[in-house]
Amino acid sequence: ELSPFMKSLGLKYPIFQGGMAWVADGKLAAAVSNAGGLGIIGAGNAPGSAMAEEIKIAKSLTDRPFGVNVMLLSPHVEEVVKVILENKDNITLVTTGAGNPSTYLKQFKEANIKVIPVVGSVALAKMMERVGADAVVAEGMESGGHIGRLTTMALVPQVVDAVNIPVIAAGGIGDGRGMAAAFMLGAQGVQMGTRFLVAEESKVHPVYKKAVLKAKDIDTMVTGDFAGHPSRVIKNKMARNYINLEKAEAAKDNPDYSALEELGNGSLRRAVQDGDAKTGAYMAGEISGLVKKEQPAAEILHDVYEQADKLMGGDK
Ligand SMILES: O=C(O)COc1ccc(-c2c[nH]c(CNC(=O)Nc3ncc(Sc4ccccn4)s3)n2)cc1
């Protein structure tokens, strides 16, 4: 049974596809939305013009609701917000990541666009409710890419207790068991990134997809814990190189992480576009060890929902 909030979004499944930088383009988002989930286009560090293009593609491929994710550390965040507001009639909601979207919330609300910030703590969840967020995605550190510090199992029930707006759970969810568990913790929906990263409609380079599909439970690590932006990635040459440099720098009296910034810049693009294991960051979550095959987005949604539905007592 969908919650009133999920019904208001016009979804068949209360399942969001994570708005992953470089990965979540209009084609993937449209495939997820057409199958009854909520597809989300990821702005990442892309300029406004690229976002306008992806929104146009999604609009041409689906009549179902879709969203856009604003990565708040992007140098282009202002122009991306502008493009979203210009396309307000086609965009159901905005999710935000890697920062505090308070400054943009008012504009989105006035444009009648729902805002669902990703939060990694109770404090941020409460602040987002106070400034008018429609819901929050509570994302645990099991997730891929830029992470907070708390696990999904600990974060979700505390956020559910702390706010009166709907909570969507994310981080380490890759099948119906994770979805059913999230609902037991009080979530009204789930967001998945890693499982959709290897979807057939995902443009991720086959070498990167293969690394995710063959990853074991212990094959991810966190880079940037000292340098400033902790990011979970699949262990590869680049990650090991990054970690070695980071530890060496952190041991100095006044560490200088600027060289690491260099290493990090463009690393996700090189992974997605070239599958480069030497200089690319294979961002992916701890659930990679559970994700073993590339499937169409529609199959992913159906399999996850049906399994969760059965576990939660069926015919919801
Ligand atoms: O400033 C404040 O008070 C709030 O601080 C925050 C800190 C972290 C978060 C947060 C954690 N996880 C998320 C949502 N997930 C993500 O944003 N995942 C991402 N993956 C790759 C990205 S591109 C990038 C950008 C910077 C460094 C490395 N990679 S963003 N948001 C949200 C807010």
Side-chain angles (χ1 to χ4, degrees):
E1 182 55 33
L2 290 187
S3 69
F5 178 70
M6 287 297 167
K7 277 204 186 95
S8 78
L9 297 181
L11 302 179
K12 184 178 168 204
Y13 304 116
I15 299 174
F16 288 18
Q17 156 253 312
M20 301 167 275
W22 285 103
V23 177
D25 59 1
K27 181 178 168 238
L28 176 62
V32 171
S33 291
N34 276 331
L38 185 88
I40 299 177
I41 299 168
N45 287 318
S49 53
M51 284 315 294
E53 185 52 31
E54 291 308 326
I55 292 167
K56 209 164 121 240
I57 291 169
K59 195 61 215 134
S60 72
L61 294 173
T62 186
D63 296 329
R64 307 291 299 258
F66 66 86
V68 174
N69 181 55
V70 179
M71 209 279 287
L72 293 157
L73 289 171
S74 166
H76 303 289
V77 64
E78 298 292 340
E79 59 185 74
V80 165
V81 168
K82 193 164 148 290
V83 165
I84 290 169
L85 294 171
E86 285 160 2
N87 285 274
K88 66 182 173 52
D89 300 339
N90 298 330
I91 295 164
T92 299
L93 64 85
V94 162
T95 57
T96 65
N100 177 336
S102 299
T103 39
Y104 305 110
L105 255 138
K106 200 161 141 298
Q107 300 170 65
F108 286 132
K109 302 291 281 183
E110 278 159 10
N112 195 24
I113 295 177
K114 290 188 170 33
V115 181
I116 309 183
V118 175
V119 299
S121 69
V122 163
L124 188 61
K126 286 165 87 163
M127 188 200 303
M128 290 299 101
E129 179 179 45
R130 204 165 41 248
V131 297
D134 296 278
V136 289
V137 174
E139 183 197 71
M141 49 77 90
E142 299 92 324
S143 74
H146 189 41
I147 54 174
R149 298 209 167 282
L150 294 171
T151 63
T152 305
M153 184 70 91
L155 176 68
V156 171
Q158 292 181 71
V159 169
V160 166
D161 289 348
V163 300
N164 293 313
I165 51 177
V167 176
I168 290 111
I173 299 171
D175 69 5
R177 291 171 297 181
M179 180 170 179
F183 275 68
M184 292 305 114
L185 295 173
Q188 295 182 21
V190 296
Q191 177 166 287
M192 298 193 294
T194 302
R195 182 108 194 240
F196 283 114
L197 186 141
V198 297
E200 261 175 29
E201 298 88 346
S202 158
K203 68 189 226 192
V204 168
H205 193 280
V207 167
Y208 179 173
K209 280 192 186 181
K210 196 158 175 326
V212 174
L213 294 172
K214 70 179 193 34
K216 298 187 304 299
D217 53 340
I218 53 170
D219 285 343
T220 70
M221 62 198 289
V222 179
T223 59
D225 230 347
F226 300 97
H229 292 306
S231 265
R232 183 176 301 286
V233 297
I234 301 259
K235 289 173 187 166
N236 67 5
K237 261 197 178 55
M238 189 264 178
R240 290 192 179 90
N241 177 29
Y242 192 101
I243 280 276
N244 290 338
L245 292 171
E246 193 178 6
K247 282 181 179 164
E249 207 51 46
K252 294 176 183 170
D253 291 346
N254 29 24
D256 166 18
Y257 293 111
S258 50
L260 279 167
E261 284 283 305
E262 259 317 288
L263 256 185
N265 289 340
S267 59
L268 182 55
R269 178 181 48 72
R270 289 190 295 275
V272 172
Q273 292 187 340
D274 318 325
D276 185 340
K278 263 201 288 309
T279 69
Y282 290 175
M283 290 186 181
E286 290 189 324
I287 208 62
S288 297
L290 189 87
V291 179
K292 296 194 182 349
K293 61 179 178 171
E294 184 178 11
Q295 290 175 279
E299 238 179 71
I300 294 171
L301 287 160
H302 176 268
D303 291 359
V304 170
Y305 183 77
E306 287 313 315
Q307 185 182 24
D309 189 37
K310 235 201 276 335
L311 287 167
M312 292 195 286
D315 51 68
K316 260 180 290 324

